[in-house]
Amino acid sequence: MSDLTVQPSRGLKGELTPPGDKSISHRAVIFSSLAEGDTVINGFLAGEDTMNTARAMQALGIAIDGLGSSRLTVRGKGLDGLSEPDGVLDLGNSGTGMRLLAGLLAGQDFYSVLTGDQYLRKRPMARIVEPLRRMGARIDGRSGGRLAPLAIRGGGKKTSAIDFTSPVASAQVKSAVLLAGLYAEGTTTVNEPSPSRDHTERLFRFFGVGVEQHGTRVTLRGRQQLRSHGPIDVPADISSAAFFMVAACIVPGSDLLIKNVGVNPTRTGVIDVLRSMGADIVLENPREQAGEPVADIRVRHRKLRAVRVAGETIPRAIDEIPVLSVAAAYAEGTTIIQDASELRVKESDRIATMASELKKLGIAVVERADGMEITGRETTDGAVCESHGDHRIAMSMAVAGLAARGETVVHDTAWIETSFPGFEMLLRQTAYSS
Ligand code: S3P
């Protein structure tokens, strides 16, 4: 098992480009497979999660060149070009991979089985299984289909369109239903309680598929063909950039430029929250890539103060709450995080795991059913921490260690590979350059 040891930093300096966006990379490789002809994907995240999705597409009969690098060529076979896999599709640790593929496979006319690692096999699947069954797929799984492995016999030509209201704001659920809806005759609609990330909608449009969005209601007409429109340039992942944003906010002396970051408004909750805490964050050189807004982000250290994070901000910052709770740990006052019970069903129970790890640093944390209250301190002594098998907990605690007075050790950090290969190297380059 790998450990990561972090010494106090005297300021993060220079510039870095984090790896490609995980959400967009999953979608880019799936959608390119469904298009007629070749699509080049630049900036593909060569992390475990997205490589598992790419391998699953290969097992479904799609040729992909360059796997393992950040430049893929996907040889798409059109809407009906997938074929029955001859083995189980293993999505490893990735909830996005499993849920998006379940949607795609629900529309095929063959049989397939999806599984994942010990953590993914504990995560809730009823949220996708229930609508996908309504659309005509036969799905079985452990616990009546609530847990993976999931065995799917797709509806094929009999897939039916639905008007679905999701109880959770989840881009994974929305995308699963839309992918199945692509195979249905008629129009599929998904309604959400508040807006989740819209990369699926944007990438559908990039491939020439009409998708309508009215507030929290998304509509897609089935049987539309995807057409390749040149390369997909995947921006750097704001969820990975967030670790460096928070690090630069909390370590005195920092002045950091994080380049080529996706700043889709459904993902920028982390910037809004940090700014409301008083952070000095400037977006430079705004531009667009493959239908997604992109910018360079300059962050300079400034003392943070506590805030309340709740409501519609939560889905816009869902993966950044662990590292935002590190920002809160070094902010003045008590930060309140509410309406975030979804955190309990991520790669780990992120309310429980962040509370337990921050307490090891001597931070006062009160755990609530849907969030936590964190009272910040000027600094901490560092601690020996655990990843709980969760990449974002591992990276959050490494960031917390940079602003401590003493050494911090994070155990079991190999999980970082799922989303952020090269994290440790970039951390060392920027945090100890002076
Ligand atoms: C993702 C959606 C989010 C997020 C996950 C990636 C996606 O999950 O936490 O890391 O790419 O669709 P939910 O949609 O279930 O909230």
Side-chain angles (χ1 to χ4, degrees):
M1 276 214 278
S2 52
D3 289 348
L4 206 162
T5 302
V6 176
Q7 307 296 340
S9 164
R10 279 186 283 135
L12 286 93
K13 300 272 173 58
E15 51 183 60
L16 75 150
T17 306
D21 187 280
K22 181 150 72 78
S23 292
I24 299 173
S25 295
H26 281 295
R27 289 160 172 82
V29 73
I30 295 173
F31 288 32
S32 300
S33 303
L34 306 181
E36 296 279 357
D38 297 357
T39 302
V40 172
I41 307 173
N42 295 312
F44 182 78
L45 170 64
E48 285 299 327
D49 279 11
T50 42
M51 296 223 292
N52 280 328
T53 293
R55 284 186 204 110
M57 296 318 299
Q58 288 177 323
L60 291 164
I62 301 297
I64 300 175
D65 302 339
L67 195 58
S69 78
S70 61
R71 184 186 163 90
L72 303 188
T73 303
V74 181
R75 313 223 176 261
K77 287 187 169 177
L79 207 52
D80 298 309
L82 303 181
S83 48
E84 186 170 87
D86 62 9
V88 170
L89 306 177
D90 188 345
L91 282 312
N93 193 242
S94 178
T96 308
M98 179 166 289
R99 294 189 179 118
L100 264 54
L101 283 179
L104 176 65
L105 294 168
Q108 309 303 313
D109 61 2
F110 54 72
Y111 171 81
S112 47
V113 180
L114 299 173
T115 193
D117 70 11
Q118 53 166 322
Y119 297 98
L120 184 53
R121 293 196 310 269
K122 287 195 195 104
R123 295 180 64 186
M125 293 298 150
R127 54 182 59 194
I128 51 150
V129 167
E130 194 259 323
L132 296 177
R133 280 178 178 158
R134 276 177 53 198
M135 298 178 85
R138 273 158 49 201
I139 306 181
D140 211 344
R142 289 188 305 130
S143 188
R146 284 194 287 276
L147 298 171
L150 298 177
I152 302 178
R153 176 152 306 274
K157 298 233 150 32
K158 296 202 183 91
T159 303
S160 38
I162 54 169
D163 187 329
F164 177 63
T165 298
S166 173
V168 282
S170 163
Q172 295 177 358
V173 173
K174 175 175 65 180
S175 305
V177 173
L178 292 177
L179 276 165
L182 186 62
Y183 287 87
E185 293 294 345
T187 299
T188 292
T189 301
V190 183
N191 305 282
E192 306 190 88
S194 66
S196 65
R197 64 192 67 190
D198 66 354
H199 305 301
T200 293
E201 296 88 315
R202 286 172 186 260
L203 206 55
F204 266 140
R205 287 194 198 105
F206 183 76
F207 279 101
V209 170
V211 187
E212 282 182 33
Q213 273 169 286
H214 298 286
T216 54
R217 187 178 166 85
V218 182
T219 306
L220 169 90
R221 190 168 38 77
R223 303 296 317 166
Q224 296 185 66
Q225 303 297 322
L226 281 74
R227 295 192 206 295
S228 194
H229 288 277
I232 302 174
D233 294 318
V234 180
D237 199 324
I238 190 168
S239 299
S240 298
F243 298 104
F244 287 87
M245 288 167 60
V246 169
C249 285
I250 63 177
V251 178
S254 297
D255 183 350
L256 193 64
L257 184 66
I258 313 171
K259 293 174 77 175
N260 204 38
V261 183
V263 287
N264 178 317
T266 60
R267 298 283 299 282
T268 47
V270 60
I271 297 177
D272 299 346
V273 173
L274 287 172
R275 279 184 173 154
S276 70
M277 297 176 88
D280 179 357
I281 301 177
V282 180
L283 267 53
E284 298 174 355
N285 191 16
R287 54 206 184 267
E288 192 159 300
Q289 270 171 224
E292 292 278 350
V294 177
D296 303 328
I297 303 179
R298 180 171 293 281
V299 190
R300 295 185 184 86
H301 167 261
R302 198 190 273 166
K303 185 76 196 133
L304 301 181
R305 53 180 182 271
V307 283
R308 179 171 167 270
V309 189
E312 295 206 347
T313 306
I314 297 292
R316 296 180 52 244
I318 190 70
D319 293 338
E320 294 69 66
I321 303 287
V323 79
L324 281 172
S325 68
V326 170
Y330 290 100
E332 195 182 331
T334 301
T335 292
I336 298 172
I337 299 167
Q338 286 174 325
D339 307 325
S341 54
E342 271 297 299
L343 289 176
R344 295 207 180 269
V345 292
K346 294 293 177 187
E347 286 83 330
S348 69
D349 173 345
R350 288 181 173 160
I351 296 176
T353 51
M354 276 316 292
S356 91
E357 296 313 305
L358 289 176
K359 282 178 190 165
K360 291 177 185 167
L361 286 173
I363 301 295
V365 185
V366 181
E367 205 183 312
R368 304 277 182 218
D370 69 340
M372 46 192 158
E373 294 173 17
I374 302 161
T375 303
R377 289 175 49 168
E378 192 76 30
T379 187
T380 67
D381 293 329
V384 177
C385 301
E386 300 298 328
S387 72
H388 301 269
D390 186 333
H391 55 131
R392 298 202 201 281
I393 304 301
M395 290 186 275
S396 296
M397 296 319 293
V399 167
L402 295 176
R405 278 187 293 240
E407 180 177 279
T408 296
V409 180
V410 189
H411 286 151
D412 194 16
T413 51
W415 294 99
I416 292 171
E417 289 298 312
T418 62
S419 71
F420 200 156
F423 170 76
E424 184 173 353
M425 192 188 70
L426 289 176
L427 195 75
R428 299 211 184 285
Q429 275 170 12
T430 51
Y432 309 112
S433 56
S434 54

